[in-house]
Amino acid sequence: MSQDGIHLPTSLGYLLKEAASALRFAMEEALRPLDMTITRYSCLELLAQRPGLSNSDLARGAFVTRQSMNVLLQQLEREGLVVRASEAPVGKALPTDLTPAGRDLLAQATAAVRAVEKRMLSGMSADDQQVAFHLLQGMVRSLRADTGT
């Protein structure tokens, strides 16, 4: 009986999924001592790099639903890690910013995540890293071109 499925040992898509899973696991392990999840980290990092992002922008950037992001922002606000405007300056979107406590926690989390990325890339030369970066960018562009995202 022939098998028409994907040959997993040679499937680039499967290997990318395996790499993403390994990266997620390593990041979760590194962030756990900070009582931080990848989504919490992503949210804080996005706010540090682009202060004032709306709930929708944060949700897209962290790959979660708007509802999930809203719950997370409420929790982060209660913990004193972010502040949200009481009124929207334009439209309905309430911009969110990091507090000093949020910046301190983010600095620790960023160090942990950088260590994971450094470990992930440790077997690659700088040239190999550049090639991998450009290849992955090309894959993302190709996939998004087909869906319009």
Side-chain angles (χ1 to χ4, degrees):
M1 185 154 101
S2 82
Q3 208 172 1
D4 294 334
I6 294 173
H7 185 247
L8 296 180
T10 60
S11 169
L12 188 55
Y14 186 80
L15 184 58
L16 282 170
K17 181 63 178 168
E18 188 176 4
S21 180
L23 176 60
R24 182 174 189 87
F25 179 80
M27 287 176 64
E28 287 170 349
E29 289 289 306
L31 293 169
R32 188 170 291 121
L34 300 171
D35 195 28
M36 176 84 68
T37 65
I38 294 170
T39 303
R40 285 170 63 96
Y41 166 72
S42 297
C43 179
L44 295 178
E45 188 67 62
L46 285 165
L47 286 171
Q49 293 185 25
R50 295 180 242 157
L53 284 179
S54 69
N55 179 47
S56 294
D57 292 332
L58 288 167
R60 273 189 296 279
F63 307 105
V64 297
T65 65
R66 287 190 320 252
Q67 295 83 357
S68 294
M69 183 54 67
N70 192 46
V71 169
L72 175 58
L73 287 173
Q74 289 173 6
Q75 182 180 2
L76 293 173
E77 192 171 24
R78 280 192 304 274
E79 293 172 13
L81 300 174
V82 302
V83 292
R84 296 200 288 182
S86 56
E87 292 183 24
V90 177
K92 296 180 184 178
L94 296 176
T96 306
D97 291 299
L98 290 176
T99 64
R103 289 191 184 286
D104 290 345
L105 181 58
L106 175 60
Q108 295 172 58
T110 299
V113 168
R114 279 189 185 137
V116 169
E117 187 166 303
K118 184 176 178 180
R119 190 172 96 219
M120 177 181 69
L121 300 173
S122 65
M124 299 173 73
S125 70
D127 287 343
D128 288 345
Q129 290 177 34
Q130 275 299 108
V131 169
F133 185 81
H134 291 295
L135 289 172
L136 288 169
Q137 279 184 320
M139 290 177 205
V140 170
R141 273 193 307 275
S142 294
L143 290 169
R144 289 189 173 158
D146 290 345
T147 62
T149 56

